[in-house]
Amino acid sequence: MPGKSPKKKDLYLGKNMADLNKLGECKDLGNNVTIIIRSADKTFREAVHQDELSDEERAYVLYMRYFNVIQTAKRKAEYIKQKEYFDNLIGKKNQLHAIERAEGLSQNLKERYDLIEAEAVAKKLEALDEKKKEDKKEEKKDVEKDAAEEKGNDKENGSSTVPPVTAPGSISPMELFTLLNDRETQLILMDVRPEEDYADSHISHKSCVNVPASILQPGTTVNYISNALPEASRSLWKQRGQVDHVILLDWRSTSQEVKIGSTLRTLKDALFKYDVTVILKSEPLVLEGGYEQWLLYYPTVTTNSHILCPSRPEDFITSSALDFDYPDFDEPSNDKQPLINQSGASIPTQAPNGMSQPLLPSVDRSLKPKPVTRSVNAAPLNNKTSEPKVANNLKNTNTEPQGDKLDGFKIISNSLYPSVGQMVAKNIVRSNSRTDSGVAPVDVKPKIENSDVDQELVELTEIKKKKEEELHDFKSERKRMAAEHKARTAKLEEEEEKLRQLEKLRRKEEKDVVELMRLKRNLQEEMKNEQIKQDGENKQTEEEERKRLAELEQMQKLEEDKRRRQEDVEKLRRERRKKEDDKRAQDLEMKDNILREAAEAARQEEEQRRQEAAAAAAKRAEEERQEAEREKKEEERKKREEIKIQQLKKEKQEQEKKLKEQREREEKMKADEELAERLKHEEAERAKAERDQKMAAEKARAEEARRLAEEKIKKVNETKPQWKQVPSNNLPVGWEKRLDKSTNRYFYINHNLTTTQWEPPVKIQPASTTGTFTTKLKEEPAQSSRGLTRSFSSPDIMKQMAEEGDKPLHTLNFDRASKPSQRFEPPVSKPVQRQYVVKRRDLNPVYGSVGAALTGLRNLGNTCYMNSTIQCLNNCTPLVAYFLNDLYLDDINRDSFREGMHGEMVDDYAIVLKALWNGQNRCITPRDLKNTVGKYNPMFAGYQQQDSQEFLTFLLDGLHEGLNEVKVRPKIPEQENDHLPDHRAAEIAWRDHKRLHKSIIVELFQGQLKSTLQCKHCSKKSVTFQAFMFLSLPLPQQSRCSLKDCIYKFLSPEMMTGSCKWKCPKCRVERDAVKKIDIWKLPPILLIGLNRFVSDGMWTQKSTSYVDFPVSDMDMREHVSDPKSTTRYNLYGISNHYGTMEGGHYTAFCRNPCTKKWYKYDDHEVYEMSRSDVKTSAAFVLYYTSIELTAPIFSPSQ
């Protein structure tokens, strides 16, 4: 299954696109355009990698940096001079890909940044709204407190007041009118009435917009509303996120009627809950009473106040009846009018639907004065106590602003109905006018005692003082609220400034996107023009080729004529030369017969010995020949390709030359004939000189053959000892070291016991030598008479064959007379000869001073799997020190069985290891080790690509068997673990394993696994413990996983069914079973193989999943059962595989124990790398160590 795309990473590099564009800038990279372009390519690859990891910010920054680097390169003078070359070097596919990805990432990042900014603004506005709600709650508490006080006063005075109530989420017409007049507050009025009603009459304000109810179906989205809105309403609709409040209304909107499914609820939810593109600053409010109530309160703030509202479904009384009596002008006025009621102003009534009605006066009818009969001639009352009081009240009524309290009255100036005070004032004015015209005044109130009037004045004075204090407190509170409002306004202005800055950044980013689009179009046009240009050039080239072919045919005809003439001349020459050769052959034949008879006897004897020597060297020579032929073929293939390229170039040049030389050839025909005559004369002289020279050479060869024949006969007659005595001062007394020339190996003779053996004595002690031993030094080869010298990096095969021919038959001649009495001289029984043959080591080194363990290995043809494995083992300090200090010589097992190869692999591996650590070679050729491995495992004999895990297993097994200290294997009985605890059973199994296998390989690389089988039928369990060399872990089916995930999958139970059923010892039949593997003990050096090659039906495929593994401090405690086992590991080597099953390449990443740095080993190339680049998706085999790897202590001369 394809892996899921990784989750997008959180934003962390910047707060907006401007920050990312700033990070995408590049510094000056110098004037070398090639280096700049390489840097751009590296930046592009890193951008693609980060894009795959879903790090949008870093990918965008790297793409933009890639463009900036390319632009920097294009401004250099070197680029301008070689524009076409550098354009091809840059390429256009990468630029197009980078442009497309940068555009997509820019859009995504812009949306994410806007969303984060909107969330931040929403949080701030939410905090302000919370503070505003708290202020409103405090104000509401103050109002309720004042209302409670007034209610107490009203109860004392016999009247009651009810404060106006506004439901949450709604706004009254008076509050809306205040907001419309506030210049610092921005809002939008969304009228959902039908378009015809809205056109007839609506609120007269520039922020009023019509959203018809016909487009507001339940479930409607903002996008649908935007597309269905009238054209005149769309501009204000787009500004909904920038205003402070959004007001919703219809004919009779109330907060109680905003229910699910209603028109207002649909619009409110679409704006406030489901709109992710625009975030409102506050929750939309509903106008209480709707447009009908607005007409009653503020008819002048409408486009048409004479519109008829639609009828209600049920009878509804808009205003309460006026329940008071008009004054009778014929009746005398009373002092205790409702105007001076101590209960204060009138209270608005509450409509049945909860809407506040206009404030109406309340009248206490119990205080209505009774009619008093007065005579017309009665003296008028003194108006000093009544009229000034009423006049004062009238003055206050006409001048007091809306909502102010003064002298116990609360007068609403915008009421649709006249107040009682106004009506009484009008009557009083009319009375005064009548009095002034001579008509007798009418008494306003009955006669009252002066003491009562004074008392009432005192009470009124106290009430007035109290009201003045309340007015002062009210004004102070109003100033405080104004200050808070100003502070909130300042904060909102600050937020608005930030929004403007964001809009500015957004415009700049859009400009950058436009620039990218322009670059993309330019590149596409350049590619199109380049394609047109290429087509034209192809057509022109084809036309030129046709013309040249026609000219070539014409030239071929001319050359054919000339060739016929030359053949005639050459025929004459051959006839003359044949006659001369026949004569010369007769002379030579006579001399050859004489020499042939003399050398025939020596040649036959030499041929017999050569055949014997050639048979021994045939196999080795054949292998070397095949290797040489393969390398030669490879070189020839490369040369053929180069020659082919050169030939194509030469053909073009020759075609041009032939056209030019065609005319010259006709002129030179005559000169050629003259030249032919002159050549005939010169040929005759040269033939004579060659004949004389060959005669002298044949004579010299005959003499040399005669001399060699005499020397061979002399050597045959001579007798040479078969054994070559080699002096040694390190042998015990009575021991002798000799060289077996048939196998070129040393063996040791114990004259004390008259025995021989291949291995040196166990205890080497200085021996007292009484005689002087001599050995013949290596003779230098004779100087070649041809002036050529042999390279000592390759074996001298001719000399080896000659030396083999010089060896006599394997017979010994002894002088019995000189036989000692107490010592038994050879012939002694030669030790049993093994297949191992000491051979010349040919590492073919490339000399150069490098650090220890920093030498490369040359690829012999798809042998990179072997090179990467050797380099990883080469950085394991314990194993390296074991070989560098020759400790392996004490443990080598020449009689080893199975894969030991009689120690031959150990010797070859030790030679390679020492060459890698001497620090004097840049690279070497491990041909001997490769041939030895292929000799005993045909899978590695050829030059096909192989699995490095399989090679690692075979190599370690071979080294173990070659170093196994167990010479005779004891019989180990089968272990029964049914009644043993796990730790005891594990100890016994490991002890038995060490009785059979004891070497440094076991100590360093082998651990122990616990295998449990449980029958599904009877629950019978079988527990066994077995050793392992390395863990081969399966990979989960996902594109990215961790090493722990692989270990968990390796340790998970496995069902054994079908053909894999287990034969239960209790049931005695095959049963389905569950197999469970547990790690009991881990080795000091832990090898982990990732099983990337999996079978898929008939095919095998490679998994490229990225495995995240720890580089240091890996804790395996939770996976290991034995508490005594090692659990902490550090990575020191990785074998990587790049490619597929059909073809690939192996490299190695290793941490050098001397420098503590990481290096990349790519066949013969070794260079330092960063620790951060160690983890890749190509990791194949992981090398972990639980011990500190330090530089090995050894002597380089060893």
Side-chain angles (χ1 to χ4, degrees), residues 564-694:
R564 284 195 300 271
R565 291 193 297 269
Q566 289 179 349
E567 286 178 355
D568 295 339
V569 175
E570 187 66 24
K571 185 177 180 180
L572 294 174
R573 290 177 181 173
R574 285 196 299 271
E575 291 177 354
R576 184 173 61 254
R577 190 178 301 155
K578 183 178 180 182
K579 293 178 181 179
E580 295 175 353
D581 291 341
D582 292 340
K583 185 178 180 181
R584 187 168 55 252
Q586 291 176 0
D587 297 338
L588 293 175
E589 185 176 0
M590 294 175 65
K591 295 179 180 180
D592 289 341
N593 291 332
I594 297 172
L595 296 175
R596 189 180 300 111
E597 292 177 357
E600 182 65 23
R603 188 188 65 77
Q604 290 178 357
E605 295 177 358
E606 183 179 359
E607 186 67 20
Q608 183 177 0
R609 294 187 180 90
R610 286 184 179 180
Q611 288 178 357
E612 295 176 356
K619 188 174 183 180
R620 183 173 65 254
E622 181 66 19
E623 292 176 353
E624 294 178 353
R625 185 186 63 78
Q626 291 178 356
E627 175 66 17
E629 288 179 356
R630 191 191 64 78
E631 294 179 353
K632 185 177 179 180
K633 289 180 181 179
E634 182 67 19
E635 292 176 356
E636 288 177 355
R637 183 183 64 78
K638 293 181 180 179
K639 288 182 180 179
R640 286 197 299 271
E641 292 178 355
E642 294 177 356
I643 292 172
K644 186 175 181 180
I645 295 173
Q646 293 177 359
Q647 286 178 351
L648 292 175
K649 294 181 180 178
K650 287 182 180 179
E651 286 178 0
K652 292 183 179 179
Q653 295 176 358
E654 289 175 358
Q655 289 176 0
E656 295 175 357
K657 288 182 180 179
K658 286 179 180 179
L659 293 175
K660 184 177 180 180
E661 293 175 356
Q662 182 178 358
R663 298 176 182 177
E664 297 177 358
R665 289 177 179 175
E666 296 178 356
E667 297 175 358
K668 292 182 179 180
M669 290 294 295
K670 295 180 180 180
D672 290 338
E673 294 176 357
E674 296 176 357
L675 180 63
E677 294 295 332
R678 188 168 60 255
L679 288 175
K680 289 179 181 179
H681 181 68
E682 293 177 356
E683 183 67 18
E685 293 179 354
R686 185 168 60 254
K688 184 178 180 181
E690 290 178 356
R691 186 166 56 252
D692 295 338
Q693 185 177 2
K694 287 183 178 180

Side-chain angles (χ1 to χ4, degrees), residues 904-919:
E904 187 176 356
M905 181 180 289
V906 176
D907 292 328
D908 291 336
Y909 180 77
I911 293 296
V912 172
L913 199 67
K914 292 178 180 179
L916 292 175
W917 275 86
N918 63 12

Side-chain angles (χ1 to χ4, degrees), residues 783-979:
Q783 184 71 20
S784 174
S785 61
R786 292 174 292 179
L788 300 178
T789 59
R790 181 183 61 81
S791 172
F792 287 96
S793 62
S794 60
D796 190 352
I797 300 176
M798 294 298 296
K799 185 176 180 180
Q800 290 180 359
M801 294 175 63
E803 291 178 353
E804 291 292 335
D806 294 342
K807 296 178 182 178
L809 297 177
H810 296 171
T811 59
L812 296 176
N813 295 325
F814 299 96
D815 186 3
R816 301 292 183 180
S818 60
K819 179 179 178 181
S821 59
Q822 295 182 356
R823 291 177 53 183
F824 181 74
E825 293 288 346
V828 294
S829 59
K830 258 177 59 175
V832 179
Q833 181 177 343
R834 302 299 181 188
Q835 297 180 356
Y836 175 72
V837 178
V838 175
K839 54 189 176 183
R840 181 186 180 90
R841 305 294 178 182
D842 185 14
L843 297 176
N844 193 15
V846 176
Y847 297 105
S849 179
V850 296
L854 297 180
T855 300
L857 294 172
R858 187 177 285 109
N859 194 323
L860 302 177
N862 290 329
T863 59
C864 52
Y865 66 91
M866 178 181 70
N867 296 342
S868 67
T869 303
I870 293 174
Q871 295 289 10
C872 289
L873 293 176
N874 189 48
N875 285 274
C876 179
T877 303
L879 184 65
V880 169
Y882 178 77
F883 279 95
L884 294 182
N885 292 293
D886 289 339
L887 300 178
Y888 73 97
L889 295 176
D890 298 333
D891 300 334
I892 194 166
N893 189 353
R894 299 296 182 186
D895 298 325
S896 63
F897 32 83
R898 290 181 59 199
E899 297 88 354
M901 290 78 79
H902 311 290
E904 187 176 356
M905 181 180 289
V906 176
D907 292 328
D908 291 336
Y909 180 77
I911 293 296
V912 172
L913 199 67
K914 292 178 180 179
L916 292 175
W917 275 86
N918 63 12
Q920 300 176 2
N921 303 324
R922 293 188 179 275
C923 67
I924 61 173
T925 304
R927 181 177 285 107
D928 295 335
L929 179 60
K930 196 266 180 187
N931 292 338
T932 301
V933 173
K935 176 181 178 181
Y936 293 99
N937 191 338
M939 182 174 64
F940 303 111
Y943 298 95
Q944 293 81 22
Q945 184 67 272
Q946 301 294 340
D947 191 337
S948 66
Q949 292 187 20
E950 296 178 356
F951 178 79
L952 174 63
T953 303
F954 182 76
L955 177 62
L956 292 179
D957 287 342
L959 293 177
H960 161 65
E961 291 298 336
L963 298 170
N964 193 358
E965 300 178 21
V966 179
K967 302 299 189 294
V968 179
R969 288 194 169 188
K971 294 183 179 180
I972 305 297
E974 185 176 356
Q975 183 177 344
E976 294 291 339
N977 300 327
D978 293 342
H979 304 290

